[in-house]
Amino acid sequence: AALFEAELQHVFQQGITPGYRTVEGSEKYLRGRLDTQRQLQKSTGPATEFECTYQEHTRDILLNRAILYAAQLLGTYVSDSALARRLSRHRRRLREYVTPTTVRPAELQTIELTHLTDYYRDIFRLVELVISNTFVEDFRAGQGASFSLLVNMNTIFEKVVERGVKDTVKRTPEYRALFQQETGNLIQAGKLASTLVPDFTLQNRSQQIVLVGDAKWKRGQPTNADLYQLAAYQHTHSVPGVIVYPDQKQSLSGTYQLSSNLPLILTELPLGRDAETYESFSREIEDRISAAFAPYTKLKTEGTNE
């Protein structure tokens, strides 16, 4: 606050810079450009006022409004009485030229300093710090309203797996991939219904299911529920199955055998690795999926050490 006050004093010594701002309003005389749409929306009859849009030369510009707003924010933090009085005096002086208003960080990005306003450069850096910090602090629990964002990572991971499977299967015309499709019922008779909806299935040209799979956004050893779920899909269709997990340093990857001799493949997607490009990231995912599918399909791995 003390540094800000010193820089603000320097700005006053150099002079509060004016600038141009766009004004829309009703004028007795035509000024700037006539806003035809607004003019026609007015009541019929002789025009006594003109709806104009024009550039006004004024000190009430965004740059000076941002300085006033930062000074107001700092005033709430200052405990030194002498400094508080100086800031208050500066605010009153600024309000002679500037309209008090809230200025958001995004608006600061639109301000461009020129050689005529170069003496504003230091205080503007402080203004950015003060205003940005205020809006970050507004996210504290119970201190102010803000938007919240909930990301369902299970759904996101399923979409990543879906994209990887889709792009992998594109390599051959022998198969097509289906996602979240009902493939039958585990219980064939009786009143109970147990619909089977794997995350993905592979079909051959005869529309026969040749592989079923599920995506699981979780770490640690597979649970019985994970294995039973996929085993149910496999038992119904008598095909190999794949469970896809996020990267766990290959601690889960491997092929297992159900009691019915159907292979159960556990594989991990390399999501935690740095990739130079999006294309290389996508290729790593496709190669890992292809490696899991390859022993049971005609899909071949490309550019992988799996």
Side-chain angles (χ1 to χ4, degrees):
L3 182 58
F4 178 90
E5 190 274 332
E7 290 298 334
L8 183 51
Q9 181 62 37
H10 173 69
V11 167
F12 279 127
Q13 291 171 353
Q14 298 292 319
I16 301 297
T17 188
Y20 289 93
R21 66 184 179 97
T22 301
V23 178
E24 295 180 352
S26 301
E27 302 290 337
K28 292 184 178 181
Y29 304 97
L30 184 60
R31 183 177 181 183
R33 179 176 60 84
L34 178 67
D35 192 316
T36 308
Q37 184 175 0
R38 296 206 330 263
Q39 189 73 34
L40 293 175
Q41 289 174 348
K42 296 181 67 174
S43 59
T44 58
T48 57
E49 291 184 335
F50 298 95
E51 297 301 315
C52 303
T53 300
Y54 57 91
Q55 295 292 315
E56 182 181 48
H57 192 251
T58 176
R59 291 187 175 91
D60 192 13
I61 58 177
L62 182 59
L63 175 58
N64 294 327
R65 288 184 178 188
I67 293 175
L68 175 57
Y69 181 56
Q72 292 170 334
L73 293 173
L74 283 174
T76 63
Y77 297 110
V78 172
S79 57
D80 180 89
S81 58
L83 178 58
R85 285 195 299 271
R86 291 199 299 273
L87 281 173
S88 178
R89 185 169 62 252
H90 293 330
R91 289 196 300 271
R92 289 196 301 271
R93 187 173 176 184
L94 279 169
R95 282 196 292 267
E96 294 177 9
Y97 312 102
V98 180
T99 302
T101 184
T102 298
V103 178
R104 297 182 176 272
E107 295 178 87
L108 299 178
Q109 305 304 313
T110 66
I111 297 175
E112 295 184 7
L113 300 180
T114 67
H115 68 282
L116 296 176
T117 54
D118 194 60
Y119 61 95
Y120 271 78
R121 198 165 302 279
D122 289 336
I123 195 170
F124 184 64
R125 291 170 60 193
L126 295 172
V127 166
E128 289 180 306
L129 289 173
V130 172
I131 293 179
S132 298
N133 184 65
T134 297
F135 278 89
V136 169
E137 288 188 347
D138 193 42
F139 282 91
R140 292 177 298 181
Q143 297 298 313
S146 66
F147 293 104
S148 60
L149 180 66
L150 178 64
V151 178
N152 188 327
M153 283 307 301
N154 290 302
T155 302
I156 296 296
F157 185 63
E158 287 175 4
K159 291 298 183 182
V160 172
V161 173
E162 178 179 321
R163 176 67 179 269
V165 171
K166 185 181 299 182
D167 290 345
T168 300
V169 174
K170 283 180 182 178
R171 300 179 184 179
T172 174
E174 297 292 327
Y175 305 99
R176 69 167 183 159
L178 300 177
F179 305 96
Q180 301 291 336
Q181 296 287 321
E182 181 178 334
T183 63
N185 293 314
L186 182 60
I187 300 174
Q188 300 296 336
K191 295 182 179 180
L192 294 176
S194 181
T195 303
L196 300 177
V197 186
D199 286 336
F200 61 88
T201 57
L202 261 59
Q203 290 185 350
N204 59 19
R205 288 180 172 178
S206 301
Q207 296 187 348
Q208 297 174 319
I209 294 177
V210 298
L211 185 143
V212 294
D214 244 20
K216 300 295 184 184
W217 177 255
K218 57 176 64 174
R219 291 188 176 277
Q221 292 300 311
T223 64
N224 287 339
D226 295 347
L227 301 176
Y228 292 157
Q229 183 180 15
L230 191 66
Y233 300 154
Q234 292 183 252
H235 174 77
T236 301
H237 302 290
S238 297
V239 295
V242 176
I243 304 180
V244 184
Y245 292 96
D247 193 10
Q248 299 186 55
K249 299 181 180 180
Q250 295 294 285
S251 62
L252 298 182
S253 294
T255 302
Y256 305 85
Q257 210 78 19
L258 299 184
S259 58
S260 56
N261 291 324
L262 294 171
L264 169 61
I265 304 99
L266 304 185
T267 190
E268 306 165 26
L269 292 193
L271 304 181
R273 302 181 186 178
D274 291 333
E276 293 183 0
T277 64
Y278 172 76
E279 289 72 20
S280 63
F281 172 74
S282 299
R283 176 58 64 183
E284 280 195 73
I285 291 178
E286 291 173 38
D287 287 344
R288 183 62 59 82
I289 292 174
S290 183
F293 291 176
Y296 313 102
T297 68
K298 296 180 181 180
L299 293 168
K300 302 298 181 182
T301 59
E302 297 180 13
T304 178
N305 295 321
E306 295 301 328

